[in-house]
Amino acid sequence: MDAESGGGAPRVGMRRKVGPLWVAISLDSAVSRIRSPRPWSAELLLAYQSLGVVYGDVATAPLYVFKSAFAGGDIEHSAGNEEIYGVLSLVFWTLTLIPLLKYVFLVLRADDHGEGGTFALYSLICRRVRTGLLPGGDVRRSEGAAPAPRLSSVRAALERHRVLQRLLLLLALLGTCMVIGDGVLTPAVSVVSAVSGLELSLDSEQHEYILLPVTCAILVGLFTLQHYGTHRVGFLFAPIVCVWLLCISIIGVYNIIRWNPHVYRALSPYYMYKFLQKTQTGGWMSLGGILLCVTGSEAMYADLGHFSVFN
């Protein structure tokens, strides 16, 4: 029965023209659905799907680090393998500080009602600061919170200067363009690199004619799968990533036990210092290659809307 006839309470899902009240009720119900805890079975299912969507790039990125770090030829290997320990220590602590501490404990907490990405972060900033570039830009007015007694210097500067507001919008647009470019270029480069491995079993003339068609066919197939949704793509690639991680883990443990059981020494930050002290300019130049180990970490925040913080 309708609420206007006195027969009961109004339902949230009814689309009646009740002005801002209906919008507020709808937003509150949407936020409550996002914030409501899911059962463990649903969380495990999303975590399994996230392996094929988010962590595939993170899992394969460290493979290129050692080749890129020593690609310049300026670093000479010593008998004690201190250079290898130094690079491994840099990789370990880079993975610990950026994906784990920065993204998991800090960046993922800056979600916009469960959404992540560049524009979600920009929308969150606009609601916390009176920038005037988005409707309802002041969270103190929209949520009824008491005004802060003293604004921070950064917040006060953003609210005062229109140039900083436009610069913030420009940075958000630039970040979104970089994400789109990464989404287009990264699959193409990865597939070309993988198909180029066929050169080992083919002649150079045959490889020249087969590389481009095979690459295009694989890319068309991969982008066609996007039409079926993230959950189906996750189900398809999650077992592949699981097998991949299991294989490299077993191979890694076997090689550590067989060839160098003392590689755990690289966990000490001391070897980072020794590596940079000994290699000097060559070591600093190799940091660009070591940064490749965190490639794909931004997907944890960019794909937050598909999954959740717990996954």
Side-chain angles (χ1 to χ4, degrees), residues 6-161:
R11 290 178 295 174
V12 174
M14 297 177 62
R15 293 182 176 271
R16 294 186 289 114
K17 295 181 179 180
V18 292
L21 178 61
W22 181 85
V23 177
I25 294 175
S26 300
L27 289 176
D28 291 340
S29 62
V31 172
S32 64
R33 286 195 301 269
I34 294 173
R35 299 296 185 184
S36 60
R38 297 187 182 93
W40 281 106
S41 59
E43 293 291 346
L44 291 176
L45 180 62
L46 287 175
Y48 174 75
Q49 291 176 331
S50 66
L51 287 175
V53 178
V54 178
Y55 296 104
D57 197 5
V58 180
T60 57
L63 296 177
Y64 310 99
V65 172
F66 273 87
K67 182 179 179 180
S68 301
F70 297 104
D74 300 329
I75 302 175
E76 297 181 358
H77 297 280
S78 61
N81 294 326
E82 294 183 356
E83 294 79 13
I84 297 178
Y85 286 167
V87 172
L88 184 58
S89 180
L90 285 168
V91 171
F92 173 78
W93 286 106
T94 302
L95 288 172
T96 302
L97 294 177
I98 296 182
L100 181 60
L101 296 182
K102 176 185 175 181
Y103 277 91
V104 174
F105 292 103
L106 294 177
V107 178
L108 292 183
R109 296 179 181 271
D111 63 299
D112 185 17
H113 297 311
E115 294 291 334
T118 309
F119 267 106
L121 184 60
Y122 175 73
S123 175
L124 186 65
I125 295 175
C126 288
R127 289 206 316 275
R128 296 291 174 178
V129 182
R130 287 197 299 260
T131 59
L133 298 180
L134 283 181
D138 191 2
V139 72
R140 292 171 294 181
R141 291 198 305 265
S142 60
E143 297 181 359
R150 183 176 180 273
L151 299 178
S152 64
S153 57
V154 177
R155 182 172 180 175
L158 282 174
E159 293 184 355
R160 188 182 307 114
H161 301 287

Side-chain angles (χ1 to χ4, degrees), residues 197-203 206:
L198 298 174
E199 187 177 3
L200 299 175
S201 58
L202 294 175
D203 297 334
Q206 295 177 345

Side-chain angles (χ1 to χ4, degrees), residues 245-281:
L245 292 176
L246 181 63
C247 290
I248 62 174
S249 299
I250 295 175
I251 294 173
V253 172
Y254 170 78
N255 282 283
I256 289 175
I257 297 175
R258 175 67 182 269
W259 300 108
N260 192 353
H262 303 289
V263 73
Y264 66 89
R265 298 174 182 173
L267 301 181
S268 173
Y270 170 76
Y271 285 95
M272 292 191 297
Y273 169 74
K274 291 292 292 183
F275 172 76
L276 296 176
Q277 183 186 36
K278 184 176 182 180
T279 56
Q280 297 182 357
T281 305

Side-chain angles (χ1 to χ4, degrees), residues 166-245:
R166 297 184 183 278
L167 179 61
L168 181 63
L169 177 60
L170 180 63
L171 290 176
L173 293 173
L174 180 62
T176 304
C177 293
M178 294 175 67
V179 172
I180 295 174
D182 179 71
V184 173
L185 295 177
T186 301
V189 174
S190 301
V191 173
V192 169
S193 300
V195 177
S196 63
L198 298 174
E199 187 177 3
L200 299 175
S201 58
L202 294 175
D203 297 334
S204 59
E205 297 180 356
Q206 295 177 345
H207 180 267
E208 182 181 356
Y209 292 104
I210 200 175
L211 175 61
L212 188 58
V214 172
T215 301
C216 293
I218 295 176
L219 288 175
V220 170
L222 290 176
F223 280 100
T224 304
L225 291 176
Q226 302 294 327
H227 173 73
Y228 297 99
T230 306
H231 62 289
R232 290 187 175 88
V233 175
F235 268 114
L236 178 62
F237 286 97
I240 300 175
V241 176
C242 289
V243 172
W244 163 258
L245 292 176

